Amino acid sequence: MSKVKTNDGATVKAPKYVAYRLFALLLAAAPIAVLCLLPINFLVGVEDFKQATFLSVVLDLVKVLFTGGEAEFFLSDARLFGVLPVLFETDTICGAVTNAWIYVIAIAVVLTTVFALISLFSGKAARKLAPTISLLNFWAYAGYAASIIVTCFYLQTGFPIDLYVLAIAGVSLVALIVFALIKNGASALVQLLLFLLTCAVSAAFVYAFTVLANEGTKDLISLGLLYKIVVASLVGLSVLFVFISSIRLLTKKGYGFDIFRYVLMAIITLALGVVSALRYFGVEIGFLGFTFAFTVEEALWLMIVFASAFVVSVLQIIIAAIAKAKGKKAVKAEEPAQVVAEEAKPAAKPVQAAPVAAPAPVAVAVEEKQEKPLVPVYSAPEEEEEEYEEEYEEEEYEEGEYEEEYEEEEYEEEEYEEYEETENKAKDPFIATLTKAERVQFSEVFLLKTSGELSKLPAYEVGGENTEFFRKVFVYLGVYRDKIPSQILDKMYSFYQKNNE
């Protein structure tokens, strides 16, 4: 960790986030190496598979687009969206998705490479970009494997299992989970459970329409464009929910939106289950005539699958609601608990200032430590602590910088020992940015609380994690503005903004 010099000459260590930088580079480079060196399976022509490296397929794409040469993998005439060459020709939606996913992988390779390069030069950016690279890789390669499997299910043809692609997707998912646990702790496990359940619901949709009711789905789509759009929308919505759940692995808040998604999915699965049950029991309703595109056996399987998906969705609602309630309870209990903790501590006596021409000498004797201003030396290096204290005792503050003299106070022995222990804590990155006089003022306001109790603010932990403290300061700024010196408030705002970009 490098040292950063503050405005008063103190030094603090700035983190380099070496681990995040290293993992960002590895997570971006490893899939590219696999794609360039190892053969993976590509669906080409109609129902044929070829093994080739992704690099050779990209070079073949360049040949088709720019040189007009004869393609080895891509079809020379067919185009996706009228522009992009395709590997195999099919008029199904899942086939179009499989063709498009080749370009998704190419985009993911470019983005992850850029993110890895940025991470090499910025450790702070690496903290966010390393998880992002994991997320992109997971969707690029897991999505490609899933699109081939779904397409082959729909076309009722066999397919090989591409272990290299699945390995990249699996490693990326594990890395994503690890990053989530590091960032959010045990709460990430709740989101992981919800993510897996969402994957189960989405898989149920896809499997029901492409395998269990394959012929019925084809007959339903043939009835008109509307039915094709409805089926594609249902499957697409379930996949979208999986994508959102994967992003939620890296976040804490958002349970309200989660509940909305799960309620919506519960309604959809319940409706589809009821419609399937009506078809199974032979109930004829005019506007539900399209259900007879499915056989009785297919209707039975659809009913079972959608009923199971409904139960899972209800379970997700319960889990998300409990997690949201616990989060609210923790937030509400935070402030009262802080107030109780502060009231239990003996309040420091208020300091009265007396105008004098020069600051009174400070006693050094241990026996009279109550006469010495309790000024923590947070950021001075250990080997310079003794020298720093001598300089501070001999220094005279300039007029207007700090013109207060401490009267003699009698602190209880227990309170003094607690504060003396604070003096010996590790360096604090924020307090290190303050001048010597500002440290005295900061200690009075937020540590000794000589200006009054700050019941709405969490306790400031020297050398600890104080993000919530700074956030609450600005939330309740209207309450405590008169107690905080302007120069300290400016530095608090700059420190908070710098560490929460």
Side-chain angles (χ1 to χ4, degrees):
M1 300 175 75
S2 61
K3 291 185 176 180
V4 178
K5 190 170 253 187
T6 61
N7 55 358
D8 62 343
T11 58
V12 294
K13 292 182 179 179
K16 293 183 177 180
Y17 304 112
V18 176
Y20 282 98
R21 294 183 178 189
L22 179 62
F23 275 104
L25 181 62
L26 290 177
L27 290 170
I32 297 175
V34 172
L35 294 178
C36 293
L37 300 177
L38 300 176
I40 60 177
N41 294 299
F42 293 93
L43 184 60
V44 297
V46 181
E47 298 179 358
D48 188 23
F49 278 92
K50 285 186 179 180
Q51 281 195 331
T53 63
F54 188 79
L55 178 61
S56 62
V57 173
V58 171
L59 294 177
D60 191 54
L61 174 63
V62 173
K63 184 191 300 182
V64 173
L65 288 176
F66 301 105
T67 66
E70 185 177 353
E72 180 181 356
F73 301 102
F74 288 89
L75 301 179
S76 301
D77 300 326
R79 290 290 185 271
L80 182 65
F81 309 124
V83 178
L84 302 175
V86 296
L87 290 174
F88 69 99
E89 190 171 2
T90 178
D91 58 353
T92 63
I93 295 177
C94 52
V97 171
T98 302
N99 277 315
W101 219 268
I102 297 297
Y103 299 94
V104 173
I105 293 178
I107 294 173
V109 168
V110 174
L111 290 178
T112 55
T113 301
V114 173
F115 292 161
L117 292 176
I118 294 175
S119 298
L120 288 178
F121 295 98
S122 174
K124 189 175 181 180
R127 293 183 63 192
K128 298 180 179 179
L129 293 180
T132 303
I133 291 172
S134 300
L135 182 66
L136 287 175
N137 282 340
F138 170 72
W139 274 101
Y141 302 104
Y144 176 69
S147 67
I148 289 181
I149 293 173
V150 172
T151 299
C152 291
F153 275 161
Y154 187 77
L155 297 176
Q156 295 181 314
T157 182
F159 57 89
I161 300 297
D162 203 322
L163 297 179
Y164 296 131
V165 172
L166 291 177
I168 297 174
V171 171
S172 300
L173 179 59
V174 171
L176 184 64
I177 294 172
V178 171
F179 286 129
L181 291 172
I182 293 174
K183 181 179 180 182
N184 300 330
S187 62
L189 296 176
V190 177
Q191 285 301 330
L192 176 60
L193 175 59
L194 294 173
F195 168 72
L196 296 176
L197 293 176
T198 305
C199 289
V201 173
S202 180
F205 267 83
V206 174
Y207 193 69
F209 284 122
T210 60
V211 178
L212 299 178
N214 183 279
E215 295 299 329
T217 302
K218 292 178 179 177
D219 293 340
L220 179 64
I221 290 176
S222 66
L223 295 178
L225 179 61
L226 176 62
Y227 297 104
K228 186 176 183 178
I229 293 175
V230 170
V231 173
S233 298
L234 290 173
V235 175
L237 183 65
S238 65
V239 175
L240 175 63
F241 284 176
V242 175
F243 177 72
I244 295 174
S245 291
S246 65
I247 296 177
R248 288 283 288 118
L249 287 172
L250 299 172
T251 61
K252 284 186 177 181
K253 299 180 180 180
Y255 284 109
F257 181 61
D258 288 339
I259 294 174
F260 168 76
R261 291 190 292 113
Y262 303 143
V263 169
L264 178 60
M265 187 55 67
I267 294 173
I268 293 174
T269 52
L270 178 61
L272 293 175
V274 171
V275 170
S276 300
L278 293 176
R279 171 65 187 96
Y280 175 72
F281 291 107
V283 179
E284 297 185 16
I285 301 178
F287 68 93
L288 295 178
F290 63 88
T291 59
F292 283 86
F294 299 96
T295 64
V296 174
E297 183 181 359
E298 289 177 333
L300 174 61
W301 281 114
L302 290 176
M303 181 175 62
I304 294 173
V305 169
F306 292 134
S308 301
F310 171 75
V311 172
V312 173
S313 297
V314 172
L315 179 61
Q316 288 179 297
I317 294 172
I318 296 173
I319 295 174
I322 293 174
K324 183 179 180 182
K326 286 185 177 180
K328 285 186 176 181
K329 187 177 180 180
V331 172
K332 289 181 179 179
E334 179 182 351
E335 293 185 4
Q338 183 64 31
V339 172
V340 172
E342 290 177 351
E343 290 179 352
K345 293 174 60 177
K349 295 182 180 181
V351 177
Q352 298 179 353
V356 292
V362 181
V364 182
V366 176
E367 295 77 11
E368 298 181 7
K369 54 189 173 185
Q370 67 270 20
E371 298 179 2
K372 175 183 174 181
L374 301 179
V375 183
V377 184
Y378 299 106
S379 61
E382 294 180 2
E383 64 272 14
E384 299 177 2
E385 283 187 357
E386 184 176 349
E387 178 183 352
Y388 176 88
E389 291 178 354
E390 293 177 359
E391 292 179 358
Y392 176 71
E393 292 169 1
E394 298 174 0
E395 181 177 353
E396 296 184 357
Y397 296 116
E398 295 180 2
E399 183 178 358
E401 182 180 14
Y402 193 70
E403 299 181 348
E404 293 187 6
E405 177 185 9
Y406 293 94
E407 294 183 354
E408 295 184 0
E409 299 177 31
E410 294 183 3
Y411 293 93
E412 295 182 9
E413 186 65 18
E414 180 180 354
E415 179 181 353
Y416 181 82
E417 291 177 357
E418 178 182 351
Y419 188 73
E420 187 176 29
E421 181 182 354
T422 302
E423 294 186 54
N424 297 324
K425 289 187 177 180
K427 302 181 183 69
D428 187 284
F430 168 70
I431 295 181
T433 65
L434 303 178
T435 64
K436 298 171 184 177
E438 289 169 352
R439 294 178 191 176
V440 175
Q441 294 175 296
F442 183 87
S443 300
E444 286 184 340
V445 176
F446 296 109
L447 300 182
L448 298 176
K449 298 184 175 64
T450 57
S451 300
E453 292 296 332
L454 310 174
S455 60
K456 295 184 181 297
L457 302 182
Y460 188 90
E461 298 181 9
V462 179
E465 171 56 50
N466 293 297
T467 301
E468 186 64 14
F469 167 81
F470 287 103
R471 189 183 73 83
K472 287 291 183 66
V473 166
F474 295 105
V475 169
Y476 299 107
L477 185 60
V479 179
Y480 301 118
R481 177 62 185 86
D482 295 336
K483 296 183 180 181
I484 308 175
S486 298
Q487 68 274 18
I488 295 181
L489 184 61
D490 291 341
K491 291 187 177 182
M492 292 175 72
Y493 179 77
S494 299
F495 182 83
Y496 180 73
Q497 289 291 100
K498 181 179 179 181
N499 289 275
N500 290 273
E501 294 177 351

